[in-house]
Amino acid sequence: MPKVTIDGQSIEVPEGTSILQAARLIGGDIVPPAMCYYSKLKTSGGYCRTCIVKVTKGSEKDPRPMPKPVASCRTNVMDGMEVQNITAPDLVEARKGVVEFLLINHPLDCPICDQAGECDLQNLSYSHGIEKSRYEFKRREFEKIDIGENIKLHMTRCILCYRCVKVAEQVCESRDHGVIGRGDVAEISTYIQKAVDKDFSGNMIDVCPVGALTDRTFRFKSRVWFTKPMNAHRKCTKCSGKTVVWLSGDDVLRVTARKDKFGEVEEWICNECRFERKETKDWNIEGPRHIDRQSVIAQNHYEVNKQLKIDVSNQKLLGEKAHNKQ
Amino acid sequence: MGIKLLTNNINVAGIQKLDTYQNNGGYDMFKKALSMTPDAIVEEVKKSGLRGRGGAGFPTGMKWSFLAKPEGVPRYLVCNADESEPGTFKDRYMMERIPHLLIEGMAIGSFALGCHTSYIYIRGELMYVYHILQKAIDEAYAAGFLGKNILGSGFDFDLHVHCGAGAYICGEETALIESLEGKRGNPRIKPPFPAIRGLWDCPTVVNNVETLMAVVPIIKLGGDEYAKIGIGKSTGTKLISACGHINKPGIYEIELGIPVEEFIYSDEYCGGIRNGKKLKAVVAGGSSVPVLPAELILKLANGEPRLMSYESLGEGGFATGTMMGSGGFIAMDEDTSIVKNLWTFARFYHHESCGQCSPCREGTGWMEKILHKILDGHGNISDIDLLWDIQSKIEGKTICPLGEAAAWPVASAIRHFRSEFEEYVRNPQNIIEDHHYYRLNNISQESV
Ligand SMILES: Cc1cc2nc3c(=O)[nH]c(=O)nc-3n(C[C@H](O)[C@H](O)[C@H](O)COP(=O)(O)O)c2cc1C
Ligand code: SF4
Ligand code: FES
């Protein structure tokens, strides 16, 4: 098995593993951020350039360094390869540049964006960005459109990661949308007179790293951090039926797929589970979902809160009892 | 007169037509090639030292020998006729004037590489050239130079010409392949390279029009003789499309290695700077290569004359050198505004970015806007530094070389002409009136 060293830490990985995946296996600070790569979608990655790393030694056989930074998500490890990520100041600087590029035309409308709190771009700019934008021109804007009955497209926020296009190609029955136009006016769009309506298309919302594709059944219902994620399942003939339901009190505000610690969907879920099962009675609720990916609620306070709620009600009960005694 | 290998018959009346082309030796080299083994042809091309004429200058023989040859999988030769680089207009001229030379070159190349189907991908704006090529292909089929069992050799070969839809990015070889497959013209992420997985996922060679045409004289002369023409590793002749403020703009076939000064000032070529003006700067190889001020394009840093060759133009790296590129030679006289010129280029790259990768998609537009702001007289000194920073953050971070193509002109203009940018910032009135608006619109300043 090829051995690769990333920022001084070595690991042996199977042939065909990307530098990014190897870094994820090592874990910690040396994992490059990824905005377009998605391990569950073939041919994803390579676009955003946030995951760039410096290859200082190509391999044991050919030790020459690579002349330019490479996209770690699309570059496979070779035996003896040496890679620098956070230990190379010029690379860190280059990544700051990429983050700045991603942000110059982003509307920064986080206060009214449903993705806020779970947004990869928000997290990225916080961890890797510069504090002030040097961009002083008008940002590019697009009209908001419904690209299907349940999905809203807010193109102004899109970073053209192409993930939704790949979901349509690989998870849905067929693709009814794609990228039209080019350069900085390229946009995600449905084809003429088409709508994104295929089953499983709701997964596009989950893979969208920003708030460009949002769930119309959840829009503006609540901020993410006011809802409580619960693992839940139901019998479903189309998908595994294993989801996360996001509760406010007893109301199911939204249903999403379960995501792993890299923010990637564990199992694709069908549109019925996602959009049409919005009552607690539709679901067997297993208990709080532990969020261990980048998210505003990754502190998992709600798990404690649930405890508190029980305590409070217990106390109330005790109080009532005491009252009755009187 | 210098040696001419590609344009020697270009002025023969009717050379567009097959019979005239044949009367001037046309297709004789294809016949000769058919009597050779494919490997022997590749060997001749290797020996010739021919380097790709599409911009990168990669040795053609080596590219051909890298082509994967798995059993039972077709291979393709694709001619890149998407020529859209500002300043470069040599391929169009050749295809228009002598289309059979390209067909012959492609037939020889396809035979050498074992391709039975090949494509010419021509830029959409050149519809009339498409028709010329199609007509020539039809003639070649009728005469038995294309089709089944060509000239009894047992070699089957079909040639198609396909029209793009007007995108510079489709000249990048993997975007070209995507477009040829009927998809959006986005460059692919490499590896795999086309030599392993190209068109329809099969091994593919992509070559420039001029490169493929040059194969014909290589077969005629033999690789060794061809390699004697030119200088050092810059062998053979090169077509230069010369434009800008010169007396004789046009397409010139030069023997590689002539001095740049001779090319600009001799009557055989550009005939000097028009209206008796002085030369200010040159973009030597199409809009994406670094611009050089007159003193650096004419002379190397050590004072020796700079030559029209891959090595000499590149001498000094980007600090004092540039690149051969695709041979689009743009000369600018003393009245030219470098900032204005740069803005034109920046606008082009902004418009042509495919938009896949963030540094190019966002950075090209940003640079254009800043340049526009400076031209409009609202720039600050810090904008010049910002421009420098942006280009440095695009360069080397992108999927395809369009990012570099957009960054290099900005970097070189600031490197060599920073004072001019500063002048725009400090004294916008003078410069803007003088160079930009009035000159652009042909208004004399008195009349305003
Ligand atoms: C943005 C971009 C545009 C290009 N346009 C052309 C073109 O119009 N014609 C061309 O021959 N090569 C063009 N190239 C270079 C091709 O990718 C490729 O290197 C070339 O066709 C190889 O042919 P050669 O080896 O014969 O030079 C372009 C490259 C880039 C990055
Ligand atoms: S560098 Fe520009 S043109 Fe090339 S792939 Fe990236 S966005 Fe497209
Ligand atoms: S995550 Fe690798 S380029 Fe986007």
Side-chain angles (χ1 to χ4, degrees):
Chain A
M1 288 214 296
K3 184 175 148 194
V4 58
T5 308
I6 305 172
D7 284 340
Q9 302 187 52
S10 299
I11 189 168
E12 279 188 26
V13 290
E15 197 81 42
T17 306
S18 65
I19 299 175
L20 179 71
Q21 288 293 36
R24 284 181 175 183
L25 289 170
I26 295 172
D29 289 350
I30 60 124
V31 184
M35 296 294 292
C36 67
Y37 172 76
Y38 212 78
S39 69
K40 275 126 194 142
L41 296 170
K42 285 192 290 280
T43 71
S44 69
Y47 306 115
C48 72
R49 317 306 283 179
T50 48
C51 70
I52 50 173
V53 293
K54 204 166 147 178
V55 177
T56 49
K57 178 180 169 190
S59 69
E60 214 53 70
K61 261 202 218 129
D62 182 1
R64 285 174 304 170
M66 295 192 180
K68 299 173 188 174
V70 299
S72 62
C73 65
R74 289 294 291 262
T75 311
N76 286 351
V77 300
M78 305 282 271
D79 189 39
M81 184 184 259
E82 284 173 23
V83 175
Q84 284 190 321
N85 180 19
I86 55 175
T87 49
D90 52 337
L91 193 270
V92 173
E93 183 65 20
R95 179 171 297 134
K96 267 191 198 160
V98 175
V99 177
E100 185 175 28
F101 287 135
L102 283 174
L103 286 169
I104 61 169
N105 272 305
H106 193 77
L108 297 177
D109 58 347
C110 313
I112 54 152
C113 175
D114 277 334
Q115 191 87 355
E118 298 186 316
C119 174
D120 291 350
L121 188 57
Q122 212 175 24
N123 297 332
L124 183 75
S125 58
Y126 190 71
S127 55
H128 294 86
I130 49 178
E131 57 276 20
K132 203 168 163 289
S133 177
R134 297 182 292 173
Y135 189 73
E136 53 174 355
F137 304 97
K138 193 173 176 308
R139 283 159 203 262
R140 114 184 123 237
E141 278 174 22
F142 297 87
E143 294 284 316
K144 301 188 244 315
I145 52 166
D146 298 331
I147 58 166
E149 201 185 330
N150 294 309
I151 306 177
K152 187 84 167 181
L153 170 63
H154 205 314
M155 186 58 213
T156 310
R157 295 174 182 154
C158 173
I159 60 161
L160 287 168
C161 70
Y162 282 71
R163 282 179 184 173
C164 63
V165 179
K166 300 195 194 268
V167 165
E169 266 165 7
Q170 296 168 30
V171 183
C172 301
E173 177 197 333
S174 67
R175 177 156 76 88
D176 299 312
H177 82 296
V179 177
I180 60 163
R182 71 173 179 230
D184 60 3
V185 291
E187 58 178 307
I188 296 288
S189 171
T190 49
Y191 300 138
I192 296 166
Q193 297 201 327
K194 292 271 186 185
V196 174
D197 56 4
K198 298 286 177 303
D199 200 359
F200 287 84
S201 56
N203 292 293
M204 293 174 197
I205 300 165
D206 281 347
V207 302
C208 181
V210 293
L213 296 175
T214 49
D215 182 341
R216 288 188 66 209
T217 65
F218 176 62
R219 267 174 77 79
F220 304 135
K221 286 256 171 68
S222 172
R223 310 282 2 187
V224 171
W225 52 92
F226 294 138
T227 61
K228 299 186 192 68
M230 297 284 171
N231 276 334
H233 65 269
R234 61 181 280 271
K235 263 216 172 74
C236 179
T237 51
K238 287 173 278 187
C239 67
S240 70
K242 288 186 197 149
T243 65
V244 176
V245 297
W246 300 73
L247 300 178
S248 169
D250 280 342
D251 296 335
V252 177
L253 292 194
R254 86 176 160 152
V255 180
T256 67
R258 298 182 183 181
K259 289 187 178 180
D260 65 17
K261 64 177 173 193
F262 300 109
E264 291 189 5
V265 164
E266 285 171 357
E267 279 177 284
W268 309 113
I269 62 167
C270 71
N271 282 8
E272 183 188 331
C273 286
R274 183 186 301 271
F275 298 123
E276 288 162 31
R277 296 289 167 253
K278 289 293 185 79
E279 296 193 35
T280 23
K281 68 171 168 44
D282 295 331
W283 295 99
N284 297 310
I285 296 185
E286 299 161 17
R289 168 91 186 161
H290 184 78
I291 304 288
D292 57 359
R293 59 191 161 92
Q294 276 198 330
S295 165
V296 72
I297 57 171
Q299 298 284 323
N300 291 304
H301 285 318
Y302 58 90
E303 288 176 286
V304 185
N305 278 343
K306 190 192 151 229
Q307 200 59 44
L308 278 180
K309 192 176 159 194
I310 294 167
D311 286 352
V312 170
S313 53
N314 266 346
Q315 278 172 358
K316 213 168 140 197
L317 216 68
L318 289 174
E320 270 167 18
K321 271 184 190 162
H323 187 74
N324 288 345
K325 267 189 186 162
Q326 278 183 353
Chain B
M1 281 288 279
I3 181 163
K4 305 274 181 269
L5 302 177
L6 303 175
T7 56
N8 42 340
N9 288 329
I10 201 105
N11 290 322
V12 173
I15 195 77
Q16 271 196 347
K17 292 210 193 70
L18 180 68
D19 49 357
T20 318
Y21 181 70
Q22 269 189 283
N23 290 339
N24 287 274
Y27 288 102
D28 287 354
M29 291 310 120
F30 181 37
K31 289 177 194 156
K32 181 175 171 189
L34 286 174
S35 71
M36 299 164 69
T37 65
D39 287 346
I41 300 172
V42 175
E43 199 47 43
E44 289 306 316
V45 174
K46 263 192 184 165
K47 278 196 270 182
S48 75
L50 174 67
R51 294 169 67 168
R53 306 299 195 218
F58 191 83
T60 306
M62 221 194 295
K63 190 185 243 185
W64 286 14
S65 60
F66 285 162
L67 184 69
K69 294 184 172 158
E71 270 308 306
V73 178
R75 308 186 270 278
Y76 297 102
L77 174 65
V78 177
C79 171
N80 189 341
D82 193 55
E83 189 176 60
S84 329
E85 175 115 336
T88 307
F89 45 91
K90 61 187 177 77
D91 298 342
R92 185 205 64 199
Y93 173 80
M94 294 301 287
M95 292 186 290
E96 194 183 322
R97 294 295 192 95
I98 186 160
H100 284 288
L101 185 59
L102 177 58
I103 298 171
E104 186 172 3
M106 288 202 70
I108 298 172
S110 299
F111 177 66
L113 296 168
C115 309
H116 297 287
T117 310
S118 293
Y119 298 88
I120 302 171
Y121 183 97
I122 189 165
R123 83 181 265 205
E125 290 88 341
L126 302 184
M127 202 57 180
Y128 71 105
V129 185
Y130 166 89
H131 290 302
I132 293 172
L133 282 172
Q134 189 57 57
K135 214 161 133 191
I137 290 174
D138 293 343
E139 280 182 319
Y141 267 106
F145 293 123
L146 296 174
K148 292 254 175 294
N149 188 17
I150 295 169
L151 307 175
S153 64
F155 176 56
D156 300 340
F157 174 56
D158 285 310
L159 181 61
H160 303 280
V161 44
H162 180 87
C163 218
Y168 169 65
I169 192 56
C170 289
E172 196 279 337
E173 54 187 12
T174 57
L176 185 153
I177 289 171
E178 287 279 297
S179 174
L180 200 51
E181 288 181 2
K183 301 186 193 135
R184 184 185 158 81
N186 276 359
R188 291 180 180 170
I189 295 158
K190 283 145 276 186
F193 289 94
I196 311 289
R197 280 175 68 180
L199 185 62
W200 321 115
D201 275 349
C202 298
T204 303
V205 167
V206 181
N207 272 135
N208 173 257
V209 172
E210 185 189 345
T211 314
L212 289 165
M213 287 182 168
V215 171
V216 179
I218 288 172
I219 296 300
K220 183 167 181 181
L221 300 173
D224 288 332
E225 281 306 304
Y226 184 91
K228 286 183 189 154
I229 303 163
I231 183 168
K233 285 187 179 167
S234 299
T235 60
T237 61
K238 172 92 189 82
L239 295 168
I240 306 289
S241 56
C243 64
H245 304 141
I246 45 177
N247 280 316
K248 289 165 55 192
I251 288 111
Y252 298 101
E253 182 174 5
I254 61 159
E255 176 172 356
L256 283 165
I258 64 167
V260 177
E261 187 157 4
E262 179 186 337
F263 182 69
I264 299 176
Y265 292 101
S266 86
D267 280 336
E268 193 182 339
Y269 304 112
C270 303
I273 306 304
R274 67 177 192 197
N275 302 332
K277 297 274 184 180
K278 283 213 288 283
L279 178 69
K280 176 173 179 177
V282 167
V283 174
S287 60
S288 54
V289 311
V291 60
L292 286 185
E295 59 280 11
L296 284 179
I297 189 71
L298 297 174
K299 296 234 167 2
L300 301 175
N302 65 9
E304 282 175 25
R306 201 183 280 279
L307 311 177
M308 297 287 279
S309 73
Y310 290 91
E311 290 73 25
S312 186
L313 285 171
E315 177 86 36
F318 281 0
T320 59
T322 178
M323 284 167 77
M324 181 88 202
S326 49
F329 194 92
I330 309 171
M332 294 180 262
D333 73 12
E334 55 192 303
D335 292 341
T336 316
S337 158
I338 293 292
V339 184
K340 171 77 185 10
N341 168 261
L342 179 62
W343 172 63
T344 318
F345 287 170
R347 197 166 51 138
F348 174 79
Y349 289 109
H350 174 205
H351 188 254
E352 298 297 334
S353 162
C354 86
Q356 271 188 115
C357 53
S358 356
C360 170
R361 177 182 66 238
E362 306 296 346
T364 50
W366 194 2
M367 293 196 300
E368 191 214 323
K369 291 192 177 96
I370 296 172
L371 282 164
H372 200 185
K373 176 182 160 192
I374 295 175
L375 276 177
D376 271 356
H378 303 298
N380 302 310
I381 292 293
S382 62
D383 286 324
I384 306 171
D385 301 322
L386 182 57
L387 267 179
W388 180 269
D389 195 51
I390 297 171
Q391 68 78 22
S392 77
K393 283 183 164 140
I394 298 174
E395 189 196 1
K397 323 288 185 301
T398 53
I399 294 175
C400 88
L402 190 140
E404 269 104 58
W408 291 340
V410 175
S412 55
I414 299 179
R415 185 182 299 122
H416 299 300
F417 297 96
R418 191 181 165 103
S419 58
E420 202 173 312
F421 287 79
E422 290 174 357
E423 192 60 20
Y424 265 91
V425 170
R426 295 216 174 89
N427 296 311
Q429 320 81 324
N430 307 348
I431 306 235
I432 287 157
E433 287 180 11
D434 187 27
H435 281 302
H436 176 43
Y437 183 75
Y438 297 94
R439 193 175 302 279
L440 189 66
N441 295 295
N442 258 336
I443 306 169
S444 89
Q445 289 183 43
E446 288 79 57
S447 70
V448 184

